[in-house]
Amino acid sequence: MNPRPEYLRTKPHYEILDGLRGVAAMMVVMFHTFEAHAGGSVFRQIINHGYLAVDFFFLLSGFVVAYAYDDRWGKMTQWEFYKRRLIRLQPMVIMGNIIGALLFYYQSCPMFHLVSATPVWKVVVVMLVGFTVIPLLPSMDIRGWQEMHPLGGPAWSLFFEYVANLLYALGLRKVSNKVLSVLVLLSAGLLVHLLLWGPRGDVIGGWTISAEQLHIGFARLLFPFLAGMLLMRLGKRIHVRGAFAWCSLILIVIFSIPRIGGPQHLWMNGLYEAFAIIVAFPVVVAMGAGDRVVAGAEEKICRFMGDISYPLYITHYPLIYVYTAWVTRQKVPLAYSAPAGVLLFFCALGIAYACLKLYDEPLRKWLSTRYLGKPGAGVKKIPVETAR
């Protein structure tokens, strides 16, 4: 096997940004755990804005994709780009659907009223379709929530992630910074319109194939992804000592802020979320990209958090389904379910880490060797500062 071509060699990571991705993924798990006790009301939710982690992921994705691939298109075809993205993302999509199928019948409850009546063959079909990230129509619902990926709810964002990657490969990579700036402004306007004049005053949604939900999904995707690309290209960085700790604290606060305003003042919460997505998240990424981790404990933490983030995000929700079914069936109050919630969190971490080490990394290594050339050939590890 010939050494990997130059354009396929791995670039150094922004390790702080990797660590922040892990912080956001863990906050998503906690948000979903508390959501089981909210009774379907956004006004009773603890860690109320945890769903904004998805918008932060989209921003990171735009930044990282532009960093990794903008300067490689002279030597790389679109198909080679697609192969790299599929190898990076698809194995855990498959594993997330397998875990979701294995735990599906443990999730039966009045809230998930279709589970007990769903035949095994239909679950298998939904799992196989889920392997492809092709969204399911509401007519194929097997839970009662009309999710496009009912075996693993968060996979809806992977559908939009693939859309963003496709748009990038087909045209966004070619646009100038001026054109990209215009697109960022237009997409910011789309997002603000949804938040301030939309029906909910938040960005919750995007996981169903309907006109309203697709509107929400694309509004959530376009600004963060485009803004991440522009932020990387402009080279704007904020240099702060201890950036990982400060950025982690900012994210935790943003995700934990209670719902702002009541049902009669939805625009107030919309204004907060617009500020978080359009202003605060780019600042956090600029801070994270502007500093380097301290060798030792901080470096190990960031590396671990970055490695675990995607497996944790894509595999945790079947456990949430089971936990939610248990809480609703037994009417368990939050005070009594706390030990189970803590157990869920650490089980999610354990499953994600096992999937990472026993499945994802070995499979991606084999796929990279098979389809991209010998991994690691000639790679020189250089500091991110030099890589810029």
Side-chain angles (χ1 to χ4, degrees):
M1 184 73 68
N2 293 328
R4 186 185 299 194
E6 182 66 26
Y7 63 81
L8 291 176
R9 295 182 180 179
T10 303
K11 291 185 177 182
H13 288 187
Y14 285 96
E15 291 180 328
I16 290 178
L17 298 185
D18 287 345
L20 295 178
R21 186 183 294 109
V23 171
M26 290 183 181
M27 292 297 292
V28 167
V29 177
M30 288 188 280
F31 164 75
H32 283 145
T33 304
F34 284 117
E35 194 174 28
H37 300 276
S41 172
V42 295
F43 300 98
R44 296 172 53 191
Q45 173 66 32
I46 302 173
I47 310 185
N48 194 283
H49 290 92
Y51 51 84
L52 294 180
V54 172
D55 308 87
F56 182 68
F57 291 148
F58 286 148
L59 182 70
L60 284 177
S61 180
F63 185 95
V64 171
V65 166
Y67 165 65
Y69 297 106
D70 264 4
D71 60 354
R72 294 178 171 182
W73 287 98
K75 303 175 182 178
M76 180 177 63
T77 66
Q78 284 193 37
W79 176 234
E80 286 158 343
F81 170 76
Y82 298 143
K83 285 194 296 185
R84 285 176 66 82
R85 300 308 293 156
L86 285 168
I87 289 171
R88 176 65 186 94
L89 298 173
Q90 202 62 23
M92 284 309 305
V93 170
I94 293 172
M95 180 56 68
N97 274 274
I98 292 173
I99 294 173
L102 291 174
L103 296 179
F104 180 72
Y105 288 107
Y106 294 98
Q107 302 159 11
S108 178
C109 67
M111 182 177 291
F112 306 141
H113 61 276
L114 296 182
V115 169
S116 59
T118 301
V120 173
W121 70 263
K122 193 171 184 180
V123 176
V124 173
V125 170
V126 169
M127 180 184 70
L128 294 176
V129 175
F131 288 172
T132 69
V133 199
I134 295 174
L136 288 172
L137 296 175
S139 59
M140 280 294 289
D141 187 19
I142 59 174
R143 181 179 307 283
W145 279 8
Q146 298 188 338
E147 299 160 288
M148 64 171 71
H149 296 290
L151 293 179
W156 71 269
S157 64
L158 268 294
F159 165 72
F160 284 101
E161 175 77 16
Y162 276 132
V163 170
N165 280 261
L166 186 63
L167 293 175
Y168 171 78
L170 292 176
L172 290 176
R173 62 185 174 85
K174 302 176 184 179
V175 302
S176 66
N177 285 353
K178 289 183 179 180
V179 172
L180 186 58
S181 298
V182 172
L183 293 176
V184 168
L185 289 175
L186 291 175
S187 59
L190 178 66
L191 183 63
V192 169
H193 180 270
L194 171 68
L195 286 167
L196 298 187
W197 290 279
R200 295 177 54 92
D202 56 48
V203 292
I204 297 175
W207 49 77
T208 300
I209 297 298
S210 68
E212 178 185 3
Q213 289 288 303
L214 288 174
H215 172 207
I216 296 172
F218 279 106
R220 297 185 73 174
L221 168 71
L222 290 176
F223 172 79
F225 188 84
L226 295 171
M229 286 182 58
L230 184 62
L231 185 62
M232 195 289 302
R233 288 185 179 183
L234 294 178
K236 299 298 183 181
R237 307 291 183 265
I238 299 174
H239 302 284
V240 178
R241 295 185 63 180
F244 175 64
W246 283 112
C247 291
S248 297
L249 179 60
I250 292 171
L251 288 179
I252 291 170
V253 170
I254 289 173
F255 297 147
S256 302
I257 290 290
R259 178 85 179 194
I260 298 175
Q264 305 304 318
H265 301 91
L266 298 177
W267 67 270
M268 296 175 64
N269 192 74
L271 187 63
Y272 169 76
E273 293 190 11
F275 172 80
I277 298 170
I278 296 173
V279 179
F281 287 166
V283 168
V284 168
V285 172
M287 289 172 60
D291 192 23
R292 294 179 57 190
V293 294
V294 178
E298 186 180 62
E299 182 179 22
K300 292 178 181 178
I301 291 172
C302 284
R303 186 176 296 117
F304 171 79
M305 299 282 275
D307 289 344
I308 203 72
S309 59
Y310 178 51
L312 178 63
Y313 176 73
I314 207 67
T315 64
H316 81 281
Y317 212 65
L319 297 178
I320 299 295
Y321 289 133
V322 174
Y323 178 81
T324 301
W326 171 67
V327 167
T328 55
R329 280 198 310 265
Q330 305 298 326
K331 296 180 172 53
V332 184
L334 178 60
Y336 292 100
S337 66
V342 173
L343 178 63
L344 183 154
F345 181 81
F346 284 104
C347 282
L349 280 178
I351 290 171
Y353 188 75
C355 289
L356 173 72
K357 293 300 180 181
L358 301 178
Y359 166 75
D360 187 42
E361 288 183 345
L363 180 56
R364 285 194 286 121
K365 182 178 180 180
W366 180 84
L367 291 171
S368 296
T369 302
R370 176 68 177 82
Y371 295 105
L372 300 178
K374 186 177 179 181
V379 176
K380 181 180 179 182
K381 296 297 183 180
I382 56 179
V384 172
E385 294 288 339
T386 307
R388 293 196 208 119

